[in-house]
Short mmCIF file of all heavy atoms in Angstrom, two decimals:
data_model
loop_
_atom_site.label_atom_id
_atom_site.label_comp_id
_atom_site.label_asym_id
_atom_site.label_seq_id
_atom_site.Cartn_x
_atom_site.Cartn_y
_atom_site.Cartn_z
N HIS B 209 28.35 -9.28 7.96
CA HIS B 209 27.96 -8.13 7.13
C HIS B 209 29.14 -7.70 6.25
O HIS B 209 28.99 -7.40 5.08
CB HIS B 209 27.58 -6.94 8.03
CG HIS B 209 26.21 -7.00 8.55
ND1 HIS B 209 25.78 -7.78 9.61
CD2 HIS B 209 25.03 -6.38 8.13
CE1 HIS B 209 24.47 -7.63 9.81
NE2 HIS B 209 23.99 -6.78 8.95
N GLY B 210 30.34 -7.75 6.82
CA GLY B 210 31.49 -7.33 6.06
C GLY B 210 31.72 -8.22 4.83
O GLY B 210 32.10 -7.76 3.76
N ARG B 211 31.43 -9.51 5.01
CA ARG B 211 31.61 -10.43 3.87
C ARG B 211 30.61 -10.16 2.75
O ARG B 211 30.94 -10.35 1.60
CB ARG B 211 31.50 -11.87 4.38
CG ARG B 211 32.83 -12.50 4.71
CD ARG B 211 32.68 -13.84 5.42
NE ARG B 211 33.26 -13.79 6.74
CZ ARG B 211 32.65 -14.26 7.85
NH1 ARG B 211 31.50 -14.81 7.76
NH2 ARG B 211 33.28 -14.17 9.00
N VAL B 212 29.42 -9.68 3.10
CA VAL B 212 28.47 -9.29 2.05
C VAL B 212 29.01 -8.12 1.27
O VAL B 212 29.05 -8.11 0.02
CB VAL B 212 27.12 -8.93 2.66
CG1 VAL B 212 26.17 -8.39 1.60
CG2 VAL B 212 26.50 -10.11 3.36
N LEU B 213 29.46 -7.08 2.02
CA LEU B 213 30.02 -5.91 1.37
C LEU B 213 31.18 -6.26 0.44
O LEU B 213 31.21 -5.83 -0.73
CB LEU B 213 30.47 -4.94 2.47
CG LEU B 213 31.32 -3.75 1.98
CD1 LEU B 213 30.60 -2.95 0.89
CD2 LEU B 213 31.70 -2.85 3.15
N GLU B 214 32.03 -7.11 0.93
CA GLU B 214 33.20 -7.50 0.16
C GLU B 214 32.79 -8.23 -1.10
O GLU B 214 33.36 -7.97 -2.21
CB GLU B 214 34.06 -8.38 1.06
CG GLU B 214 35.46 -8.62 0.53
CD GLU B 214 36.20 -9.69 1.36
OE1 GLU B 214 35.69 -9.98 2.49
OE2 GLU B 214 37.21 -10.25 0.90
N ALA B 215 31.85 -9.11 -0.98
CA ALA B 215 31.43 -9.91 -2.12
C ALA B 215 30.78 -9.03 -3.22
O ALA B 215 30.98 -9.19 -4.41
CB ALA B 215 30.40 -10.98 -1.69
N ILE B 216 29.99 -8.02 -2.74
CA ILE B 216 29.36 -7.11 -3.71
C ILE B 216 30.45 -6.30 -4.36
O ILE B 216 30.39 -6.08 -5.64
CB ILE B 216 28.32 -6.23 -3.03
CG1 ILE B 216 27.13 -7.08 -2.56
CG2 ILE B 216 27.83 -5.13 -3.97
CD1 ILE B 216 26.05 -6.30 -1.80
N ARG B 217 31.39 -5.87 -3.61
CA ARG B 217 32.45 -5.05 -4.22
C ARG B 217 33.27 -5.88 -5.22
O ARG B 217 33.67 -5.36 -6.26
CB ARG B 217 33.37 -4.56 -3.09
CG ARG B 217 34.24 -3.33 -3.54
CD ARG B 217 35.30 -2.97 -2.54
NE ARG B 217 34.82 -2.20 -1.42
CZ ARG B 217 35.02 -2.51 -0.14
NH1 ARG B 217 35.74 -3.56 0.17
NH2 ARG B 217 34.58 -1.73 0.81
N ARG B 218 33.49 -7.13 -4.91
CA ARG B 218 34.21 -8.02 -5.85
C ARG B 218 33.34 -8.45 -7.02
O ARG B 218 33.78 -9.11 -7.95
CB ARG B 218 34.67 -9.29 -5.11
CG ARG B 218 35.85 -9.12 -4.20
CD ARG B 218 36.57 -10.47 -4.00
NE ARG B 218 35.66 -11.60 -4.05
CZ ARG B 218 35.10 -12.20 -2.99
NH1 ARG B 218 35.41 -11.77 -1.79
NH2 ARG B 218 34.27 -13.19 -3.15
N ARG B 219 32.05 -8.15 -6.90
CA ARG B 219 31.05 -8.57 -7.90
C ARG B 219 31.09 -10.08 -8.09
O ARG B 219 31.13 -10.60 -9.23
CB ARG B 219 31.33 -7.87 -9.25
CG ARG B 219 31.37 -6.36 -9.11
CD ARG B 219 31.09 -5.64 -10.41
NE ARG B 219 31.05 -4.17 -10.22
CZ ARG B 219 29.98 -3.50 -9.88
NH1 ARG B 219 28.84 -4.14 -9.70
NH2 ARG B 219 30.00 -2.18 -9.74
N ASP B 220 30.98 -10.72 -6.97
CA ASP B 220 30.92 -12.17 -6.96
C ASP B 220 29.52 -12.61 -6.54
O ASP B 220 29.24 -12.65 -5.33
CB ASP B 220 31.97 -12.70 -5.94
CG ASP B 220 32.05 -14.18 -5.92
OD1 ASP B 220 31.06 -14.85 -6.33
OD2 ASP B 220 33.12 -14.76 -5.49
N PRO B 221 28.68 -12.97 -7.51
CA PRO B 221 27.24 -13.25 -7.20
C PRO B 221 27.09 -14.39 -6.17
O PRO B 221 26.33 -14.26 -5.19
CB PRO B 221 26.67 -13.64 -8.52
CG PRO B 221 27.61 -13.11 -9.53
CD PRO B 221 28.95 -13.12 -8.93
N ALA B 222 27.78 -15.47 -6.41
CA ALA B 222 27.57 -16.66 -5.52
C ALA B 222 28.01 -16.31 -4.09
O ALA B 222 27.31 -16.67 -3.13
CB ALA B 222 28.39 -17.85 -6.04
N ALA B 223 29.13 -15.64 -3.99
CA ALA B 223 29.63 -15.27 -2.63
C ALA B 223 28.66 -14.31 -1.95
O ALA B 223 28.40 -14.43 -0.76
CB ALA B 223 31.01 -14.65 -2.75
N ALA B 224 28.14 -13.37 -2.69
CA ALA B 224 27.18 -12.42 -2.10
C ALA B 224 25.92 -13.13 -1.60
O ALA B 224 25.43 -12.87 -0.50
CB ALA B 224 26.82 -11.33 -3.10
#
Side-chain angles (χ1 to χ4, degrees):
Chain B
H209 279 79
R211 265 171 242 134
V212 175
L213 168 57
E214 194 188 343
I216 293 178
R217 198 189 281 129
R218 285 204 328 264
R219 306 202 176 272
D220 183 338

